[in-house]
Amino acid sequence: MTSAVEPGSPPLRKFRFAAGGEGNAEEGGARKFIKLAQQAEEYGYDSFMIPDHLGNQVGPIAALGALAVATDKIRLGTAVLANGFRHPAVLAKDAATIDVLSRGRLELGIGAGWMKEEFDKGGITYDKPSVRIEKLDETLTILDVLLRGQECNFEGKHYQIKGLKGSPRPRQGPRPPIAVGGGGPKMLALAAKHADIVSVVPVTTKEGKLLLSGITMEKTIERVDLIRQAAGDRFADIELNWAITTIVITDDREQIAEMALQALDKGFPPNMEVDVKLGVEDILTSPYIAIGTFEEIADQIRNTRAKTTMSYVGVFPTQMDAFAPIIPLLRGE
C-alpha cells in the first residue's frame, strides 16, 4: 500500500481529539447538550464541534455562545457551517464574538453546504456545485480579513464588502483557525488554499450518499496527496482531520468486520453507496471505522497517521463515551 508521507516531510503532528453534539431530543435536548460538552472536556477531548443543519439540532452560533461560558478549556467549533445559510459579513461578526467570549477557543469550520433538502425546505437557494464552491471561496477570502480585525474591501461575483472593519477583534492571533472539509478534488483544492485545518471526508454522490470506496486507506491517501499538491509550501502548516463514523469495542475484530460487510450487502447503512467490493482487511484498515480493543484501535489510529499524516481525530456524538478510554493511550504522542 502507498503512503501519503513523503521523504523529507515535516514531523508528524501530535494527536488531537474532537467530540461533538447536536442538542437534539435523542441526546436529551438543549440542556443535556451543555452537559455533553462539559463531559467531553472532562474526558480530555481537545475540542467540541457542532454541525449545522436546519433539522433536529440546536442553532450552532447560539449554542457556541452558551458553551463559551459553560466550559473552561475545551476548544469550540463548527463541523461545519453551511456557507449558504449566512452572509460572510454577519458570520465574521458572530465568529469574532464567540472567540472573545470563549477567551480564544474558536475553531471555525465552514463548507459549501450539501443537503439540498434543507435548503429547499428553508426556501434558501441551493446553487449548483460550481457556484457553491465559488461562493465559499469568496467567503473564506472575506473571513480571513475580517477575522484579523482588518478593514475589508472585496468586489466578488457573489459578495461585495465596502470598507467594513472586522469587530470585535478576536482573542486569537492573527485570527481564529478556519477549518474546511472536502472529499472531491475541487473542494480539497479550495481547502488547501484557505484552511488551517482540512477535514478529509469520503466522497459523496449527487444524492448525498457516501461512496463505500471512499472509506479505504488507499482512497484516503489519494485525497491527502491532492491536498499536498494544491497546498504547495503551506502543506506543513495544515492540520489534517478525519472523523471516525463507527466505533466497536471487541476482542474479535475480524468477526465484526465480516458482519459489517454482510450488512453492506443487505443495504445497511442506507446512506452508503456500495460501488466496490471490499474485504475484511479494507474494513480493518479504514481510517473511518474503528474496531477492536482499546489498544488495537489506538494502534490503528497510529497507523492511519503514519500513512496519511492525519492527526486530528473526530468522533460522532453517539461515539464519545466509547472512544474516551482511547484518548489517554494516545495523549502526547
Side-chain angles (χ1 to χ4, degrees):
M1 182 180 292
T2 57
S3 170
V5 181
E6 295 185 343
S9 296
L12 295 173
R13 288 175 177 264
K14 287 189 175 183
F15 288 116
R16 288 206 301 144
F17 307 96
E22 299 179 356
N24 55 37
E26 289 76 12
E27 292 177 4
R31 291 180 66 182
K32 183 69 179 294
F33 175 76
I34 298 289
K35 294 181 180 178
L36 189 69
Q38 292 169 335
Q39 181 65 69
E41 189 168 57
E42 289 180 20
Y43 278 150
Y45 284 94
D46 297 279
S47 59
F48 187 85
M49 297 292 161
I50 309 172
D52 185 24
H53 297 293
L54 297 182
N56 184 22
Q57 70 154 85
V58 295
I61 302 298
L64 286 174
L67 295 185
V69 296
T71 59
D72 296 317
K73 297 179 181 178
I74 194 167
R75 294 182 66 78
L76 305 170
T78 50
V80 294
L81 297 178
N83 183 52
F85 291 170
R86 300 166 191 83
H87 192 283
V90 177
L91 174 57
K93 170 73 73 175
D94 286 339
T97 301
I98 296 296
D99 197 59
V100 170
L101 293 177
S102 66
R103 303 182 303 280
R105 290 186 283 141
L106 176 68
E107 291 181 9
L108 183 63
I110 186 167
W114 60 277
M115 289 189 69
K116 182 178 185 299
E117 179 184 9
E118 290 189 347
F119 282 79
D120 292 344
K121 286 182 176 179
I124 302 169
T125 301
Y126 185 75
D127 299 299
K128 62 183 181 179
S130 60
V131 173
R132 281 183 283 128
I133 291 175
E134 283 178 357
K135 285 185 172 180
L136 181 58
D137 191 2
E138 293 188 9
T139 287
L140 291 166
T141 302
I142 293 165
L143 289 175
D144 183 56
V145 176
L146 292 178
L147 288 179
R148 295 173 187 266
Q150 298 173 351
E151 180 179 305
C152 182
N153 289 279
F154 181 83
E155 188 68 32
K157 182 178 179 182
H158 305 285
Y159 303 112
Q160 294 79 41
I161 309 292
K162 301 174 182 178
L164 179 66
K165 185 175 182 179
S167 68
R169 180 69 182 264
R171 284 284 295 271
Q172 296 181 83
R175 58 158 173 73
I178 292 174
V180 179
K186 291 181 180 179
M187 274 301 299
L188 290 174
L190 181 64
K193 173 183 174 184
H194 290 283
D196 307 288
I197 303 165
V198 177
S199 186
V200 184
V201 301
V203 176
T204 57
T205 67
K206 291 181 179 179
E207 294 74 32
K209 287 189 174 185
L210 292 174
L211 284 178
L212 180 60
S213 60
I215 74 168
T216 64
M217 178 66 75
E218 182 180 2
K219 289 296 182 181
T220 306
I221 290 171
E222 288 180 9
R223 291 194 291 274
V224 172
D225 283 339
L226 285 172
I227 297 168
R228 175 185 284 104
Q229 293 165 17
D233 291 341
R234 71 181 301 267
F235 181 74
D237 299 325
I238 296 175
E239 184 177 33
L240 297 181
N241 160 260
W242 84 104
I244 299 174
T245 59
T246 302
I247 299 169
V248 181
I249 308 302
T250 177
D251 291 327
D252 194 337
R253 302 181 74 219
E254 287 74 16
Q255 182 186 27
I256 298 299
E258 288 170 357
M259 291 172 61
L261 291 172
Q262 291 170 10
L264 287 166
D265 288 339
K266 296 176 181 177
F268 184 84
N271 67 335
M272 185 73 74
E273 180 79 24
V274 179
D275 61 328
V276 291
K277 184 74 172 178
L278 299 185
V280 168
E281 188 65 17
D282 295 314
I283 297 296
L284 294 180
T285 58
S286 169
Y288 302 95
I289 301 173
I291 300 172
T293 64
F294 296 135
E295 291 77 11
E296 285 172 335
I297 291 173
D299 283 340
Q300 180 184 345
I301 291 170
R302 292 186 186 102
N303 182 61
T304 294
R305 184 181 61 176
K307 288 186 175 296
T308 67
T309 73
M310 300 191 304
S311 58
Y312 190 5
V313 189
V315 297
F316 279 36
T318 55
Q319 311 282 290
M320 188 179 87
D321 294 335
F323 188 81
I326 298 166
I327 295 176
L329 301 179
L330 297 170
R331 174 64 69 201
E333 292 188 17

